[in-house]
Amino acid sequence: MSLEEIKAIAQRWQEEVFNNRNLNAIDELLDTNYVLHTANIRGIAAAKEEFAKIIRDSPDLHVTIEDIFAEGDKVAYRWTWREGGKVRSAGITILRIVDGKIVEDWYCSSQMS
């Protein structure tokens, strides 16, 4: 995959799942062996459960990708999470993408006032 294709998958991940609240996109975007290392989540079913909870608990959340970089099979991006028009969290995510699917996911974030 090209670096632009890898970036597009990361952007679609944020837009479809979090901003559009489309949990069906998880089936299209995640590999069956998906691992979210930061939260020790493995597999699509566990990921769906976790992300559904986030969406349910934060119904007006909106994630904006501020910067995005790709190299090899990884993409890294800096993001902000807004709720009620205010920045609530900011962080960095790294995804490993193989054959058009997200296989591994790491993130680090900070809560904002």
Side-chain angles (χ1 to χ4, degrees):
M1 297 190 76
S2 74
L3 298 180
E4 291 307 312
E5 289 170 321
I6 288 173
K7 287 190 222 175
I9 290 168
Q11 290 167 323
R12 184 170 175 229
W13 170 247
Q14 291 301 315
E15 192 63 31
E16 287 289 326
V17 175
F18 297 101
N19 295 342
N20 294 336
R21 291 149 184 76
N22 177 7
L23 295 176
N24 292 326
I26 291 173
D27 295 318
E28 299 172 33
L29 294 167
L30 298 186
D31 186 82
T32 55
N33 296 314
Y34 171 80
V35 178
L36 174 56
H37 293 281
T38 312
N40 197 28
I41 291 171
R42 298 181 180 279
I44 292 175
K48 261 189 172 175
E49 185 177 314
E50 177 68 16
F51 298 127
K53 181 182 180 307
I54 290 170
I55 290 167
R56 186 175 52 252
D57 292 347
S58 303
D60 67 339
L61 85 89
H62 182 84
V63 178
T64 301
I65 293 178
E66 306 293 346
D67 296 300
I68 189 166
F69 307 92
E71 184 174 331
D73 63 356
K74 292 186 181 77
V75 61
Y77 54 94
R78 181 176 64 86
W79 49 265
T80 53
W81 173 328
R82 289 177 175 79
E83 287 183 69
K86 296 181 180 180
V87 174
R88 298 294 182 196
S89 183
I92 297 190
T93 295
I94 299 171
L95 303 175
R96 186 169 74 90
I97 299 172
V98 177
D99 296 328
K101 302 277 188 169
I102 301 168
V103 177
E104 292 183 276
D105 185 338
W106 299 263
Y107 73 88
C108 181
S109 64
S110 297
Q111 298 296 344
M112 311 298 275
S113 316

